[in-house]
Amino acid sequence: MLEGNQITVREIWQGATRYLKNKIPAPTYNHWFRPIVPVAMEKDTIVLGVSDDFFADWLKDNYGDLLQDAIQDAAGTTRDIRFEYGYQPKEEEAAATEPAQTTKTPAAKTAVHRMSPGEEKNVKQCTANLLPRYTLDKFVVGEENRYAYAAATTAAKSPGAYNPLYIYGVTGIGKTHLIQGVAHEILKRNPATRVQYITCEEFLNRYVDALSERKHSQFRNWARRVDVLLVDDVHQLANKTQLQEEFFNTFNALYNDNKQIILTSDKQPCEIVGLEQRLVSRFECGVTVEITPPSFETRLAILKQKQNEHLIKLDDDVLQFIAQRITASIRRLEGALMRLVAFSSAMANCPITVSRAEDLLRNLLEEETASRKVTIENIQKVVADYFEIRVTDILSDKRPRNIAEPRMVAMYLSRKMTDRSYPEIGDAFGKNHATIMHAEKKVIARSKADESFRMALSAIQRQLQN
C-alpha cells in the first residue's frame, strides 16, 4: 500500500497493477488493464485513459469492483474512477509496470513470414467455407454496429479475450460478414491457427451424419481440436435436445482451453425459446453485443463502398434514393445495387436515373414496404405477450405498474414504428394525444437510465421487425 499526500496518479496505478496481477490471469490483465493510461488525480477521483467508451463500459460492467479494490489497495483510501476516451498507451507507459526487457529482438526476426506448406494447407482448409469478400476492412462501421465491430476486432487481434463473443440482431445486417471477417483476420495474423466457421445447420448435419455412420468420436475431435470456433445462427439449437448436449460439451472443452468462441443469433440468449438454461448461461458469460438496422448514412456508405467493386458507377442521387427506400436489410440493399448495375451493363452502359431505378426496383421496394408494415394492433399484441398480460389490460384504465409500464411501451413503439399521429395513436389506446406524448418521454428517459429496460425494448422491436 502506498501512503502520503503527494502520491501521484502514476504511483497509484503502478500499485494497482501489482494488485491486479495477483488477482487475475495474465491474458486478462494484458488485454484489459495493461492498455489503461493513468491520466490525472482530481480531488478524490482518479482519471484513467482508455481507447473508447466500449472499453470503458466493459471494464465497469465486468471488472468495476476489482478495479475499485486495486485502486483502494494502492492509494490507501477509496477513490472514484472516471474514464476518458481516446488514449493509447505509449511504449514507456506500458513498460512502466512491466519487467525490464534484457534482450532485443534481432533485426533478422522482422523478416516477412513465409507460410510453410503445412500452414498453406491449413489456411485453405479453414477458408474453404469463408467468402473472400467478407473481410474486416470491407465492413462499413456505423453507430449501429460500432460496439460489435470493436469487439470483433479485439477478438481477431487477441483470440480468447472476449469469450464467448455473442453477436445478435435481425437478419441481413452484417453478422455473418463480421464473424467471417474475424476468421480472415486471425488467419492473416497467424496462418497456423486452426479456425472453423460453420452455420448451426451445418453443425447439426455433421452431427447427424456422424451418428448415422457411427463416427461420433471423429466428430468430437473435429469440433474440439480448433483454436477458434465461429458458429452462425446459433438460435437454431432451440428444441434440439441431443444437439444442445453435444454443443454444450464442445463449448465447455473449448472454453476451458481458452479457445475463442464467436456466436451469432437473431436473438439474445435469454430470448431463445427452447434453449437449455445452462447454454443460456454459457452464452451470456462473455461479451454480448447487438447490431441494429443501419442508419441512412451507413446504408449510403455501404452502397458507395460496394459500387467500387463494379466498373459501372451510379450517380449519387440514385444511391441516395436506394438508401432512403431500402432500410431493413443490407442484403436487400446490395441486391438492389446489383440489379441496377446488371441492367446498365446489359443495356450497354445505359444511364440509371432515379425514375428508372424506381421502375426497375418496383418489386423490391414493394417487398420492403410490406416488410416494414407494423400496425398498432401488432404492437399491442406483441407487447402484451412479452410482458405476459392481455391486450385488454393494455387498453384498460388499470394503473398497476405491471400494466401501466407495458402500456407506455406500446404507446412509444406505436409512435416510433408506425406513421400514425399522436391523436391517431391516442384513439387506438382510448387516450388523448397528451398521454401518448407523456408515455413517449417517459420511455425514452427510462431506456437511457436502465439497461435491462433498454434491452427489453430492443427485443420487442426485433420481434416486430421479424
Side-chain angles (χ1 to χ4, degrees):
M1 182 179 73
L2 297 169
E3 297 178 350
N5 294 330
Q6 302 304 314
I7 186 171
T8 67
V9 65
R10 181 185 291 271
E11 289 171 331
I12 291 177
W13 185 241
Q14 287 176 343
T17 58
R18 287 193 288 271
Y19 178 93
L20 290 166
K21 288 176 183 178
N22 290 325
K23 296 291 184 180
I24 55 177
T28 302
Y29 170 81
N30 288 334
H31 180 74
W32 288 110
F33 296 98
R34 194 167 187 266
I36 295 175
V37 177
V39 176
M41 286 293 301
E42 297 177 352
K43 294 184 179 179
D44 294 328
T45 300
I46 182 170
V47 183
L48 301 176
V50 294
S51 57
D52 53 37
D53 53 350
F54 174 81
F55 201 98
D57 289 343
W58 181 254
L59 281 170
K60 286 185 283 189
D61 291 344
N62 295 274
Y63 298 110
D65 292 342
L66 178 64
L67 189 55
Q68 193 73 60
D69 291 344
I71 296 295
Q72 182 174 349
D73 181 81
T77 184
T78 301
R79 307 268 184 168
D80 292 330
I81 300 172
R82 181 167 65 81
F83 291 103
E84 287 188 358
Y85 311 138
Y87 286 85
Q88 296 294 338
K90 299 176 183 177
E91 287 302 317
E92 59 269 23
E93 292 275 5
T97 57
E98 304 300 322
Q101 298 295 321
T102 57
T103 60
K104 292 184 178 180
T105 303
K109 294 293 184 181
T110 62
V112 175
H113 172 76
R114 295 184 181 277
M115 283 190 288
S116 67
E119 287 176 330
E120 289 182 349
K121 180 180 179 182
N122 179 67
V123 170
K124 288 179 181 178
Q125 291 174 339
C126 291
T127 58
N129 57 349
L130 297 176
L131 295 175
R133 69 179 185 274
Y134 281 171
T135 56
L136 290 180
D137 61 317
K138 292 181 179 178
F139 187 85
V140 176
V141 182
E143 194 61 32
E144 315 78 18
N145 57 31
R146 184 167 59 89
Y147 283 159
Y149 176 80
T153 302
T154 298
K157 293 178 180 177
S158 305
Y162 298 164
N163 216 12
L165 174 57
Y166 188 100
I167 304 170
Y168 70 97
V170 296
T171 300
I173 54 175
K175 301 189 299 294
T176 296
H177 184 159
L178 198 53
I179 67 167
Q180 289 201 17
V182 171
H184 284 299
E185 184 67 20
I186 289 173
L187 289 169
K188 185 172 75 173
R189 289 172 173 270
N190 184 358
T193 308
R194 294 167 298 181
V195 178
Q196 179 62 62
Y197 165 81
I198 193 169
T199 66
C200 192
E201 183 179 4
E202 291 170 329
F203 190 91
L204 170 63
N205 292 339
R206 279 178 176 258
Y207 179 64
V208 171
D209 290 344
L211 291 180
S212 63
E213 297 171 10
R214 300 181 182 275
K215 295 181 178 179
H216 191 206
S217 60
Q218 288 95 320
F219 172 85
R220 185 171 294 170
N221 290 336
W222 162 82
R224 301 180 192 182
R225 289 182 178 175
V226 298
D227 300 309
V228 180
L229 178 65
L230 309 102
V231 183
D232 232 340
D233 297 329
V234 76
H235 53 270
Q236 293 182 1
L237 286 171
N239 300 313
K240 299 178 179 69
T241 305
Q242 198 168 349
L243 183 65
Q244 289 188 41
E245 176 72 26
E246 185 62 38
F247 196 87
F248 176 81
N249 292 329
T250 297
F251 183 102
N252 280 349
L254 295 175
Y255 183 84
N256 291 336
D257 284 342
N258 200 35
K259 305 300 185 182
Q260 179 67 63
I261 304 167
I262 305 181
L263 311 170
T264 74
S265 173
D266 63 3
K267 301 178 179 69
Q268 296 179 70
C270 60
E271 297 171 6
I272 303 175
V273 177
L275 186 67
E276 294 178 8
Q277 186 56 44
R278 59 179 180 168
L279 273 175
V280 173
S281 176
R282 293 297 190 277
F283 293 171
E284 291 180 338
C285 72
V287 176
T288 300
V289 289
E290 181 183 13
I291 299 180
T292 56
S295 65
F296 169 77
E297 291 79 10
T298 304
R299 297 195 299 271
L300 185 58
I302 291 169
L303 289 171
K304 288 185 175 182
Q305 184 199 69
K306 196 69 181 175
Q307 83 161 352
N308 289 334
E309 301 173 9
H310 306 290
L311 293 175
I312 296 173
K313 310 298 182 189
L314 304 182
D315 291 340
D316 282 351
D317 60 341
V318 175
L319 296 180
Q320 290 177 17
F321 168 77
I322 301 171
Q324 287 170 343
R325 295 291 298 273
I326 297 180
T327 63
S329 167
I330 294 173
R331 290 176 190 162
R332 188 174 287 171
L333 198 69
E334 294 177 348
L337 178 66
M338 283 293 298
R339 187 177 298 186
L340 297 182
V341 168
F343 176 85
S344 180
S345 176
M347 300 301 289
N349 293 337
C350 171
I352 300 293
T353 63
V354 171
S355 177
R356 178 165 282 153
E358 186 170 18
D359 186 54
L360 292 171
L361 300 176
R362 188 173 303 281
N363 291 340
L364 199 59
L365 295 174
E366 289 175 355
E367 291 174 10
E368 178 74 11
T369 301
S371 68
R372 293 205 311 264
K373 194 68 175 177
V374 177
T375 67
I376 295 176
E377 290 76 16
N378 294 150
I379 292 169
Q380 291 169 341
K381 183 178 186 309
V382 170
V383 170
D385 290 345
Y386 185 88
F387 288 101
E388 297 181 346
I389 60 176
R390 297 170 298 179
V391 173
T392 53
D393 291 328
I394 288 180
L395 299 178
S396 72
D397 291 326
K398 297 175 182 177
R399 294 193 176 186
R401 182 172 180 177
N402 70 312
I403 293 176
E405 189 171 272
R407 182 186 296 130
M408 286 193 295
V409 167
M411 291 174 177
Y412 164 79
L413 292 176
S414 296
R415 180 62 180 166
K416 182 176 181 179
M417 302 186 73
T418 74
D419 56 1
R420 300 299 183 183
S421 65
Y422 287 117
E424 288 174 323
I425 297 171
D427 289 342
F429 283 86
K431 309 293 181 185
N432 60 41
H433 74 283
T435 301
I436 308 303
M437 295 174 69
H438 174 74
E440 183 180 24
K441 290 178 182 178
K442 290 276 287 186
V443 170
I444 291 172
R446 173 83 184 278
S447 65
K448 289 179 179 178
D450 186 337
E451 184 180 0
S452 62
F453 182 76
R454 185 166 63 250
M455 291 174 68
L457 269 183
S458 178
I460 295 169
Q461 288 182 71
R462 284 197 310 278
Q463 191 172 342
L464 287 163
Q465 288 165 343
N466 285 333

